[in-house]
Amino acid sequence: MAGEDGLKFGAIGARAVHICVDAQRLFAEETDWHTPWLGRILPKLESLCAAHAERTVFTRFVPPRRAEEGTGTWRRYYERWQSMTVDALGPGMVDLLPELARFTPPAKVVDKCVYSPWMAPELQNLLQDEGIDTLVVTGGETDVCVLATVMGAVDRSYRVIVACDGVCSSADPTYDAMMFLYQSRFGTQIETAPVAEILDAWPG
């Protein structure tokens, strides 16, 4: 599979957390933002959550209730995607997939209204309080919210491991491009490895 670069920097220590990005109904179901590959990677997400539920943090992308609540380019964005506002979707569509929601608690949930989970302090504070130094990243999309999560983590000096068969995009070419980018431009700061290798290297 494209993107299997491996854990170049050794085993995963006890101060690691699994960040599962935006594995929500609004992306899995038949909406204008449907991401077909999310259902296909779901068993990989479940296996990581099952092994490390107490070390899992889910992010949720929460759109505004209506386009007029957006500011700047986000207002223009939601004028384009009126169908993806909370009033149009219904509030239940921002929920995690049921297969993953069962892990909360002990897994935690951090909400965000933009691509990056780092714009508000909640995630960083949570990780700092627990002395976390390593993030294992799964979810969608590889070239949007996963990218924002990964680059923010690099900037904050975390060891970053992208589960190459635990992330997805709406299009294969952008998935492949991001894996190439992670490996070729950020190879000393980002590792890409399949879930099976991650689980083997991360004691329960």
Side-chain angles (χ1 to χ4, degrees), residues 22-171:
D22 303 355
Q24 298 165 252
R25 291 181 57 200
L26 75 166
F27 300 113
E29 298 184 19
E30 292 297 329
T31 70
D32 286 341
W33 288 351
H34 177 55
T35 305
W37 272 96
L38 183 54
R40 301 180 198 179
I41 68 167
L42 182 57
K44 303 291 186 179
L45 308 185
E46 288 184 86
S47 64
L48 266 172
C49 291
H52 296 284
E54 74 290 347
R55 286 291 190 176
T56 292
V57 178
F58 295 104
T59 67
R60 297 193 315 172
F61 184 86
V62 182
R65 288 180 303 158
R66 59 185 73 90
E68 305 87 77
E69 293 181 359
T71 58
T73 60
W74 282 105
R75 179 164 182 162
R76 183 168 66 238
Y77 182 80
Y78 284 109
E79 288 170 350
R80 162 66 180 85
W81 296 107
Q82 292 268 2
S83 63
M84 299 307 297
T85 59
V86 169
D87 279 357
L89 287 168
M93 289 297 282
V94 305
D95 290 348
L96 297 173
L97 296 178
E99 296 89 341
L100 302 177
R102 64 190 174 98
F103 294 107
T104 61
K108 300 174 178 65
V109 178
V110 173
D111 287 345
K112 59 193 177 76
C113 60
V114 293
Y115 301 137
S116 172
W118 306 105
M119 295 299 289
E122 184 180 0
L123 178 60
Q124 177 68 353
N125 290 345
L126 186 158
L127 299 176
Q128 284 185 331
D129 288 347
E130 297 189 10
I132 300 305
D133 63 11
T134 300
L135 304 184
V136 175
V137 182
T138 64
E141 295 194 27
T142 317
D143 48 337
V144 188
C145 291
V146 168
L147 174 63
T149 302
V150 165
M151 296 311 299
V154 168
D155 284 344
R156 288 161 177 80
S157 302
Y158 292 103
R159 180 186 180 186
V160 179
I161 300 165
V162 177
C164 58
D165 55 353
V167 293
C168 65
S169 297
S170 295

Side-chain angles (χ1 to χ4, degrees), residues 155-194:
D155 284 344
R156 288 161 177 80
S157 302
Y158 292 103
R159 180 186 180 186
V160 179
I161 300 165
V162 177
C164 58
D165 55 353
V167 293
C168 65
S169 297
S170 295
D172 290 345
T174 52
Y175 168 91
D176 292 338
M178 289 315 309
M179 287 298 157
F180 176 78
L181 181 69
Y182 292 151
Q183 293 170 13
S184 64
R185 295 299 302 271
F186 301 103
T188 60
Q189 294 171 305
I190 300 172
E191 297 159 86
T192 59

